Structures are given as structure tokens and as C-alpha cells.
Amino acid sequence: MSLFWRIFSLNAAGLIVAAALLLGPVTVSTPVLPAEALVVVAGLALLLAANAMVLRLGLVPLRRLGRAMATADLLRPGARAVVAGPAEAAELITTYNTMLDRLESERAAGAARALSAQERERQRIARELHDEVGQTLTAVLLQLKRVADRVPEELRAEVGQAQEATRAGLDEIRRIARRLRPGVLEELGLVSALRSLAAEFTTHGLTVRHHVAADLPALTEESELVVYRVAQEGLTNTARHARADRAEVRLQPCADGVELLVRDNGKGLGSAQQGAGIRGMRERALLVGADLSLAPGPQEGTDVRLRIPVAAGGRS
């Protein structure tokens, strides 16, 4: 029954009872006797209580809907308001759930286009860095080598410093290009890419270990790229913010697909706000129907888990 008919029926019943009492043998004295006043007050209280109960029960689904709307997050899809209550409230909740389905679908499609464009732009910039800037610095390095063979002895130290600075810049350009465009992923596969990623982030202050199970189900190219980018972003956050000296990258099968775990022994999440990096990981996870979670580690630090269902990750 709709909320309108609930309230109308209750008020109509009260008015009918009042009219029946007026037309019946019941009378009210002048002045009103205490017993008569008690009956009138009790009837009024009963009618008000019934109205309050009907309104409270009818508005409970709307309050639940308000809480659902306040906590809705398109990066964590799937949560829906429970359809219950009077017909108007149930229809409103159903419309909201349908709207949320459409928004999540449109956001996923928009994120897919944006991330696809981002990957293409990464590849373009990486190629330009490698082909243009890298070749230019290589030529400069060769020229400096020829100059170093002919300069006076007192200038060779300065030319050597210029050579080292140019070589360091060339190495940095190549490192940036590799991070922008994971060529090892395209050429050698996910296992080698994760191994290379662990070696890249292993520095004097951070040791990164990796383990990839041998019996992994096949993944699509999109899923492999998502796994690589999430591992890359997780290790980047560890190196920049976690103050950790140990990290681990683990890829293994799970009950419904494949699970990537990036674990460190740093200071943990704490009360820090989730930045663009974590939002980017969540958007990438949505592209392949995966679930991303961040939680404290078993002892300390942070666990980043990415679970890709076989249906979403397996090759057709």
C-alpha cells in the first residue's frame, strides 16, 4: 500500500469513528466532565500515535536511501539501496538503483577511454624520449669523448664531469621511458615485467622481492597491463611515502581468478587521504572487473590486493 493510502485510511477511520460518536448516543456535557475529557484526549492521543507510526514506518526506506546516496562511491561499485517500504518509496529507490547502474557503466566506459588515451600518450612520450632526447644525449656523450681525447690535461677533469652528468641524464631518460612504456611487458611477458619492476625499485634503502606462481591462468593483455600498472603504482607509493626497507610483489591464483599482492613493512596507511595514484589504481581495476583493496599488513605496513576474476581476466 502506498504512503498516501496508508495516511488517508488512518485519518478516514478516525473521522468516521468521530462522526459515528457524534451521531450516536454519546454526548458531551457542558461543562465537560472529567471522564468525557479523558475519553476525548485518549482518542486524540491514539490517532496521533497511529499517524506518527505510519509516517515513521513509511519514511524509514527514504532515510536508508539518503544514507546510501551519501556513501555511494562509483570507484567501489555494486552497493545498492534495499528496495522496501511503500510504493512511492520503493519506486524511488528502484529509480535510484537504476540511475547508479547507468552512472557506473558510463564512468567505466569513460575511464576506459581516458586510460586508453593515457597509455597511448605514455607510449608516444616514451618513444620521443628514447628516439629524440636519448639519441641527442648519446651524440653529446660521443662528442664529449672525442673532445676529452684532445683537451689539455688541466681540463680533462671538467670534461669527465660533463661526461658523467650526460651519462647520468641518459640513464634517467631511459629509466623514465621504461616506466612510461613497459616494453618488457610487451616483449617478454608479465613475469619478466614484474621481475624487472622489482629490480628497478630495489635500491640501497629498499629491497623488493617478487614471486610469481607457475600455474597462473591466462590473462588478457588489458589484465596484464592493469596488474603491471597497479604493481608499479604500489611500489611507487612504497618508495615515496611508506618509509619501508622491505617490499614484496606476489602474483598467484586465488579461488576465483588471480591475485596480486604488493606488501611493505612501512608506516601504513594511517589517516592519509587517498590521492590520485590510488584512485587511478581503482579505475584501472574497474576496467577488467577486478577488486582492489588496501589494508594494513599482518604486522605493519600496507597490503595492496588486486583480484581479477577468471571470467574477466581469462583469454577467450
Side-chain angles (χ1 to χ4, degrees):
M1 184 184 296
S2 68
L3 184 60
F4 168 79
W5 284 111
R6 291 185 186 187
I7 298 176
F8 177 80
S9 300
L10 180 62
N11 288 328
L15 293 175
I16 291 172
V17 170
L21 292 176
L22 290 176
L23 298 175
V26 179
T27 59
V28 177
S29 304
T30 305
V32 179
L33 299 176
E36 295 172 345
L38 182 61
V39 171
V40 172
V41 171
L44 178 61
L46 183 61
L47 184 60
L48 292 176
N51 270 281
M53 182 180 67
V54 169
L55 289 174
R56 178 175 291 275
L57 293 177
L59 295 176
V60 164
L62 297 180
R63 285 197 295 270
R64 286 201 298 263
L65 176 61
R67 289 194 296 267
M69 295 174 69
T71 57
D73 187 354
L74 296 181
L75 292 179
R76 296 179 176 86
R80 296 292 182 269
V82 178
V83 180
E88 297 94 335
E91 183 179 358
L92 179 61
I93 296 172
T94 301
T95 303
Y96 167 75
N97 289 339
T98 303
M99 180 192 69
L100 205 57
D101 291 338
R102 186 173 64 254
L103 288 176
E104 288 180 357
S105 177
E106 292 175 355
R107 181 181 177 87
R113 291 191 296 269
L115 291 176
S116 178
Q118 184 184 83
E119 287 297 331
R120 289 195 300 270
E121 188 67 11
R122 282 171 178 258
Q123 293 181 4
R124 185 188 66 80
I125 294 174
R127 282 195 300 269
E128 290 185 359
L129 286 175
H130 184 273
D131 298 340
E132 302 295 334
V133 182
Q135 290 181 5
T136 300
L137 288 178
T138 301
V140 170
L141 192 60
L142 294 175
Q143 185 67 27
L144 286 173
K145 185 178 185 303
R146 287 193 294 269
V147 170
D149 295 335
R150 297 195 298 267
V151 297
E153 185 68 29
E154 61 271 14
L155 297 178
R156 288 187 177 179
E158 296 182 9
V159 174
Q161 292 177 359
Q163 284 181 293
E164 292 301 320
T166 305
R167 187 176 292 108
L170 182 59
D171 292 340
E172 182 67 14
I173 289 295
R174 289 172 176 169
R175 186 187 66 82
I176 294 173
R178 285 196 304 270
R179 295 194 64 186
L180 287 173
R181 180 175 179 264
V184 65
L185 177 63
E186 300 175 1
E187 298 167 4
L188 301 178
L190 183 58
V191 177
S192 298
L194 292 179
R195 184 184 299 115
S196 175
L197 195 63
E200 178 184 344
F201 279 91
T202 296
T203 62
H204 296 294
L206 178 65
T207 300
V208 181
R209 297 182 179 180
H210 68 279
H211 173 75
V212 180
D215 55 344
L216 290 174
L219 297 175
T220 63
E221 293 181 1
E222 292 80 5
S223 297
E224 288 184 350
L225 182 59
V226 169
V227 169
Y228 180 85
R229 289 301 189 195
V230 169
Q232 185 182 54
E233 185 63 35
L235 290 177
T236 299
N237 289 337
T238 296
R240 290 180 179 175
H241 310 298
R243 300 177 187 172
D245 58 9
R246 294 192 311 277
E248 176 185 8
V249 177
R250 183 178 294 270
L251 186 65
Q252 58 193 4
C254 61
D256 57 349
V258 177
E259 180 184 78
L260 170 71
L261 171 65
V262 181
R263 172 178 290 171
D264 64 63
N265 67 338
K267 63 180 183 178
L269 294 171
S271 57
Q273 296 288 334
Q274 294 189 2
I278 296 179
R279 288 196 298 271
M281 287 193 291
R282 294 193 185 280
E283 290 181 348
R284 289 184 183 276
L286 290 178
L287 295 182
V288 292
D291 178 64
L292 180 79
S293 63
L294 287 83
Q299 296 179 344
E300 55 185 1
T302 304
D303 280 4
V304 178
R305 294 182 185 272
L306 176 73
R307 292 183 178 177
I308 302 179
V310 171
R315 298 183 187 275
S316 58

